[in-house]
Amino acid sequence: MPLTQSWIASANDADHPFPLNNLPCGVFSTDELEPRCGVAIGDMILDMARAEETGLVDLVEDPLFDLPYWNDLMEQGPAVWAALRARLTTLLAADSPERAKIEPMLVPAAEATLHMPFVVSEYTDFYAGRHHATNVGTMFRGAENALPPNWLHLPIGYNGRASSVCVSGTDIRRPWGQLKSPDHSAPAFLPSRRFDLELELGAVVGTASEGPVTVDEADAMIFGYVLLNDWSARDIQAWEYQPLGPFQAKATATSISPWIVTRAALDPFRTAPPPREVELLAHLRDTGPMLYDIDLDISLAPAGKPATTIARTNYREMYYSSAQQLAHHTTSGCPMNPGDLLGSGTVSGPERHNRGSLLELSWGGKEPLTLDTGETRTFLEDGDTLTLHGQANGDGYRIGFGTCTGTLLPALPDPYAR
Ligand code: MN
């Protein structure tokens, strides 16, 4: 599928993240406008509240867009999602007869502040990248026990905290916690010294489930995807994770990109899963290409200095798709709701420069990275800014995710010293 031409010139640039083929969903405000739903098109944002108010977008009886979240639209289900995409494509296409009506509803993205695009009802994070699980398992338990015995049979996950999810641009505070790092013989309560990132994709569940769903049904429930950084305190994690998995190590913050890229926009980039070493049970079996060819990278900028790209990978490296994760999540009867966020797990590839965390890139801190500035890093230092990028590359266009960024602030003084 080629680029769909728009009357908005910037959207026709082959390198722009937001062409007409994309139409990602976000929430924005300006000096004049309260936070509301918007759709990115080139360098502009279409004010969906106004498009609805004037009747140019008229999907259902209730208003869906004069709200600071996309949950109400998501609840309407795939037929309404498709109708919205078709209507916006018509309004913004090069030959649109309604250009003059739409033009005053466009806000320059440079003048807008972006907010959380949806209310996160619950947050689950998975561990579904085989290279990542092998690397981390080797460091934590040795090469013989790297992959847990269940890993090739089901997507392992843990219930995270919806309250910890924040939008790109939010500063992250280095946490304190109980840790037992290699340089400490006894547990101690200290600021984390091994604070890290995890490069992930987040799937945004759009519709509710009651009872178990199939992989195909799960795929149809997914509204779209965001970039996700699962900030992780490795020294807290290493001490606390057995037997119930990560807890405080992952509870400080999880950053997401401000634009939800819809499943429809990513459809041309579907790829098959990797060969299965162990056949999956019927309810998790592959039914089609449910991964996506999405280039991902991580850049790290020390305070006041230029950024270095420290890793490049691709979402097709995952072992389990978000649809398989979502299907697995429902097997117990666990109800899923609009606004549920599922972290993919760290997206690492086979080579060293494909690794999606500093834990892997520096091999547990033993092999420091050298940045373009000449500085070295094992884990994050105060003032470091981490930025994730993602894009699917089409024929003369790209489907961009924008960026997911955050700056690490120093730990506060001992919170219990009072
Ligand atoms: Mn994670």
Side-chain angles (χ1 to χ4, degrees):
M1 199 199 338
L3 172 79
T4 310
Q5 295 280 332
S6 171
W7 51 265
I8 296 161
S10 56
N12 299 329
D13 178 343
D15 294 326
H16 204 291
F18 306 137
L20 186 48
N21 305 56
N22 194 344
L23 299 173
C25 305
V27 167
F28 76 100
S29 64
T30 66
D31 290 344
E32 288 83 40
L33 302 174
E34 292 291 307
R36 66 207 35 224
C37 293
V39 169
I41 175 74
D43 294 337
M44 310 298 278
I45 299 172
L46 173 60
D47 180 343
M48 290 300 300
R50 282 202 65 200
E52 182 177 62
E53 181 187 283
T54 54
L56 276 175
V57 172
D58 185 16
L59 300 172
V60 295
E61 210 166 298
D62 296 329
L64 300 174
F65 302 117
D66 193 10
L67 300 166
Y69 45 79
W70 279 79
N71 299 57
D72 285 26
L73 178 279
M74 294 196 289
E75 276 178 40
Q76 297 294 324
V80 173
W81 309 344
L84 171 64
R85 184 171 174 81
R87 180 64 181 144
L88 291 177
T89 302
T90 302
L91 290 171
L92 298 168
D95 57 358
S96 170
E98 283 160 307
R99 173 175 175 166
K101 287 188 213 156
I102 282 284
E103 235 161 357
M105 301 175 190
L106 294 173
V107 174
E111 293 172 17
T113 301
L114 299 174
H115 304 272
M116 278 290 294
F118 65 104
V119 177
V120 180
S121 52
E122 305 209 46
Y123 167 51
T124 307
D125 194 35
F126 286 88
Y127 188 56
R130 186 166 184 172
H131 301 292
H132 173 73
T134 303
N135 289 337
V136 174
T138 301
M139 280 182 266
F140 278 38
R141 292 180 297 274
E144 295 78 50
N145 302 309
L147 278 189
N150 53 5
W151 201 92
L152 292 169
H153 299 272
L154 58 80
I156 298 175
Y158 65 92
N159 286 308
R161 294 287 302 173
S163 62
S164 74
V165 182
C166 57
V167 73
S168 172
T170 305
D171 289 338
I172 308 301
R173 179 71 67 180
R174 183 187 296 274
W176 286 73
Q178 188 177 128
L179 51 88
K180 188 172 172 296
S181 57
D183 43 334
H184 290 84
S185 55
F189 187 73
L190 290 167
S192 170
R193 289 157 189 208
R194 299 182 145 226
F195 201 65
D196 196 1
L197 80 144
E198 289 189 343
L199 165 62
E200 306 191 21
L201 217 57
V204 183
V205 175
T207 56
S209 67
E210 290 171 35
V213 303
T214 66
V215 172
D216 284 327
E217 287 164 346
D219 188 51
M221 287 169 62
I222 296 171
F223 178 67
Y225 293 84
V226 291
L227 299 173
L228 185 150
N229 182 351
D230 174 22
W231 302 94
S232 300
R234 301 303 181 188
D235 36 12
I236 299 173
Q237 183 180 354
W239 176 232
E240 75 177 359
Y241 87 104
Q242 287 179 317
L244 289 185
F247 188 50
Q248 291 305 292
K250 306 280 195 169
T252 298
T254 301
S255 302
I256 62 167
S257 52
W259 295 107
I260 307 171
V261 175
T262 63
R263 183 165 50 81
L266 291 170
D267 214 46
F269 305 97
R270 282 179 180 267
T271 58
R276 302 303 181 182
E277 193 172 309
V278 175
E279 194 180 7
L280 294 168
L281 294 181
H283 69 288
L284 290 176
R285 209 159 286 158
D286 300 299
T287 55
M290 296 212 186
L291 294 174
Y292 297 94
D293 182 356
I294 300 169
D295 284 332
L296 300 164
D297 70 63
I298 308 168
S299 68
L300 191 164
K305 304 232 175 97
T308 301
T309 299
I310 58 170
R312 293 180 193 281
T313 182
N314 191 293
Y315 178 67
R316 66 171 175 252
E317 299 286 354
M318 299 312 285
Y319 195 80
Y320 294 105
S321 65
S322 294
Q324 284 166 319
Q325 293 170 342
L326 177 54
H328 175 61
H329 214 316
T330 67
T331 50
S332 58
C334 176
M336 302 301 289
N337 291 300
D340 261 313
L341 176 64
L342 308 185
S344 62
T346 307
V347 187
S348 292
E351 306 294 332
R352 180 176 169 164
H353 67 274
N354 304 137
R355 296 173 184 167
S357 66
L358 282 168
L359 176 68
E360 296 164 89
L361 287 161
S362 73
W363 204 253
K366 294 192 185 108
E367 300 171 15
L369 299 185
T370 302
L371 306 178
D372 294 348
T373 57
E375 290 159 84
T376 60
R377 282 292 179 283
T378 50
F379 294 95
L380 295 170
E381 303 213 349
D382 292 344
D384 283 353
T385 296
L386 242 299
T387 305
L388 312 181
H389 306 92
Q391 60 187 44
N393 296 298
D395 177 14
Y397 73 100
R398 59 179 54 164
I399 298 294
F401 281 75
T403 58
C404 178
T405 191
T407 298
L408 182 62
L409 303 181
L412 293 171
D414 183 345
Y416 297 108
R418 57 181 180 229

